[in-house]
């Protein structure tokens, strides 16, 4: 949010930095970031209190209370070990800048090399070597729900978008070939703007990775499908014990009625920030001409040579003739009071 001289390009559906028209414009273009401090204060209020957990007991006897206490301790340790506080902060920022954010929980373990038979079905299955669940905060451009869905609870599937380098994708999915690069690491508009300001900086090429999650239903058993560079590289059954909801939770700063998406107060102040920057840029363009207050002296207003003998002393007096308008100050341009109050 510190780079605010941006424009939308219809041909590429992307945000680009507004180039300087000439060298002189690069000297006085100003960005007075008022959005940044407001976002920092808002996020600080949201994540100010530590994460706490209060699992519900299945009953009221001593054994149920003991299980509840153990579950609370496990959640507290996992939150500290895997940085859930950082996930919460990222989700809050994504919701502010994009209107909506999400937190996904995904399996994060490897299986034993030798499969073992299932005790009930006899099917060969892989035992997890390191059972764990990974939480990931997602911005609006990194996920999408089933079209037409009003809430994440009603959705039957969702899809996630991310990037890996060809080498990382080959190792992650144990491929016998190196996938072709079909995307850019600079997947966000702000990231692209930052890289474009660095001379000679080129966005590293990467593979587009799509992960499709479909929960079990009356017409489907559910699945998880990984697609790398347009090819299915991994497909597995639904790995979660619950089938009534997806492994995703969405957050909005200001919910839009009738949809799972949201809006943010930054949408209201975006144009105000643009005007604020433009005002300071105009003032900078006139530095040296109208940046300091100037005294208007009507001809013949002073008696004698008083105007040429000022020493700047505290008790100094100036003799004014009293004829015509009195001397007055010509003030430099100021930001309007109404615009300052809006910011």
């Amino acid at each position: 949010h510190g780079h605010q001289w941006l424009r939308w390009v219809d041909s590429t559906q992307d945000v680009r930095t507004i180039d300087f028209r000439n060298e002189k414009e690069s000297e006085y273009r100003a960005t007075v970031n008022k959005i940044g401090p407001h976002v920092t204060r808002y996020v600080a209020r949201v994540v100010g209190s530590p994460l706490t957990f209060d699992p519900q007991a299945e009953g009221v006897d001593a054994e149920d209370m003991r299980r509840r206490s153990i579950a609370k301790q496990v959640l507290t340790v996992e939150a500290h070990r895997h940085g859930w506080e950082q996930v919460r902060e990222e989700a809050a920022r994504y919701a502010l800048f994009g209107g909506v954010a999400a937190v996904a929980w995904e399996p994060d373990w490897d299986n034993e090399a030798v499969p073992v038979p299932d005790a009930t079905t006899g099917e060969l299955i892989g035992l997890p070597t390191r059972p764990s669940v990974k939480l990931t905060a997602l911005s609006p451009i990194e996920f999408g729900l089933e079209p037409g869905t009003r809430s994440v609870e009603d959705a039957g599937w969702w899809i996630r978008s991310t990037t890996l380098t060809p080498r990382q994708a080959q190792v992650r999915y144990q491929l016998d070939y190196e996938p072709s690069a079909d995307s850019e690491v600079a997947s966000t508009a702000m990231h692209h703007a930052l890289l474009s300001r660095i001379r000679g900086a080129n966005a590293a090429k990467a593979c587009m990775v799509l992960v499709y999650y479909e929960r079990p239903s009356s017409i489907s058993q559910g699945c998880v499908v990984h697609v790398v560079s347009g090819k299915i590289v991994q497909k597995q059954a639904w790995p979660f014990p619950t089938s009534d909801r997806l492994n995703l939770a969405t957050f909005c700063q200001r919910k839009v009625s009738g949809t799972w998406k949201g809006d943010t107060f930054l949408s209201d102040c975006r144009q105000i920030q643009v005007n604020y920057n433009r005002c300071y840029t105009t003032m900078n363009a006139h530095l040296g001409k109208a940046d300091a207050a100037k005294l208007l002296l009507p001809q013949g207003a002073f008696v004698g040579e008083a105007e040429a003998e000022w020493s700047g002393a505290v008790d100094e007096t100036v003799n004014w003739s009293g004829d015509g308008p009195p001397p007055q100050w010509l003030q430099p341009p100021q930001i309007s009071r109404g615009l300052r109050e809006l910011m």
Side-chain angles (χ1 to χ4, degrees):
H1 47 268
H3 299 268
Q4 298 168 349
W5 291 90
L6 307 174
R7 62 186 177 91
W8 178 259
V9 182
D10 292 331
S11 58
T12 59
Q13 297 292 299
D14 197 5
V15 177
R16 304 284 176 168
T17 303
I18 298 177
D19 297 328
F20 299 114
R21 291 176 295 182
N22 48 56
E23 184 177 353
K24 186 177 181 180
E25 184 181 357
S26 64
E27 298 176 357
Y28 59 75
R29 179 184 290 183
T31 300
V32 185
N33 191 356
K34 305 294 288 186
I35 294 179
H38 288 293
V39 170
T40 301
R41 287 192 293 268
Y42 185 88
V43 174
R45 289 198 299 267
V46 172
V47 302
S49 58
L51 278 174
T52 58
F53 303 95
D54 187 20
Q56 299 298 316
E58 298 180 356
V60 295
D61 58 8
E63 181 63 20
D64 290 327
M65 294 297 104
R66 188 183 69 85
R67 292 177 181 177
R68 174 181 177 274
S69 178
I70 293 176
K72 183 177 181 179
Q73 296 177 25
V74 170
L75 289 173
T76 302
V77 171
E78 286 294 303
H80 176 74
R81 180 181 299 172
H82 297 288
W84 289 1
E85 292 279 5
Q86 180 66 27
V87 175
R88 179 173 64 157
E89 180 181 350
E90 291 178 356
R93 291 188 179 274
Y94 289 154
L96 282 179
F97 289 115
V100 64
V103 172
W105 50 94
E106 303 167 290
D108 185 29
W109 61 74
D110 298 324
N111 292 330
E112 297 283 359
V114 180
V116 297
D118 185 88
T120 56
T121 63
E123 180 184 1
L124 294 178
I125 59 175
L127 293 179
T129 59
R130 186 173 55 89
S132 179
V133 174
K134 179 176 65 175
L135 299 187
T136 306
L138 302 175
S139 65
I141 65 173
E142 295 178 304
F143 74 98
L145 293 181
E146 182 180 5
T149 299
R150 295 174 62 93
S151 66
V152 66
E153 289 78 11
D154 299 332
W157 58 267
W158 74 283
I159 192 167
R160 177 187 175 186
S161 171
T162 185
T163 57
L164 293 174
T165 65
R167 177 63 178 171
Q168 290 173 339
Q170 183 180 12
V171 174
R172 166 66 177 80
Y173 295 104
Q174 301 179 2
L175 304 177
D176 56 0
Y177 64 94
E178 187 173 285
S180 59
D182 60 352
S183 182
E184 291 183 350
V185 174
S187 57
T188 66
M190 186 54 63
H191 194 176
H192 200 293
L194 293 175
L195 289 178
S196 65
R197 298 176 69 91
I198 304 175
R199 180 175 298 178
N202 295 320
K205 295 298 182 180
C207 300
M208 175 64 71
V209 180
L210 301 177
V211 185
Y212 172 83
Y213 290 92
E214 181 180 350
R215 63 183 176 90
S217 63
S218 59
I219 60 175
S220 173
Q221 296 181 352
C223 64
V224 180
V225 181
H226 297 251
V227 178
V228 177
S229 298
K231 298 180 180 179
I232 297 178
V233 296
Q234 188 179 95
K235 185 176 181 179
Q236 62 190 72
W238 181 254
F240 303 101
T242 58
S243 60
D244 58 341
R245 63 165 299 152
L246 295 170
N247 57 319
L248 187 77
T250 56
F251 305 91
C252 299
Q253 193 268 323
R254 187 169 60 196
K255 186 174 178 59
V256 176
S257 178
T259 178
W260 58 271
K261 301 177 182 179
D263 198 2
T264 167
F265 70 85
L266 296 183
S267 301
D268 302 328
C269 64
R270 184 181 299 113
Q271 190 60 39
I272 300 174
Q273 176 70 70
V274 171
N275 293 334
Y276 205 81
N277 294 339
R278 185 178 292 112
C279 289
Y280 272 98
T281 299
T282 302
M283 293 167 58
N284 286 343
H286 293 84
L287 284 176
K289 297 181 180 180
D291 59 325
K294 294 178 174 59
L295 186 62
L296 299 179
L297 305 177
Q299 188 174 4
F302 290 93
V303 177
E305 300 296 332
E307 65 273 19
E309 299 175 356
W310 290 350
S311 63
V314 177
D315 58 348
E316 185 176 14
T317 60
V318 178
N319 298 320
W320 175 49
S321 65
D323 298 330
Q328 57 183 338
W329 288 98
L330 176 63
Q331 298 292 337
Q334 302 289 330
I335 300 296
S336 67
R337 179 179 178 183
L339 185 58
R340 290 198 307 268
E341 291 178 350
L342 287 175
M343 294 304 296

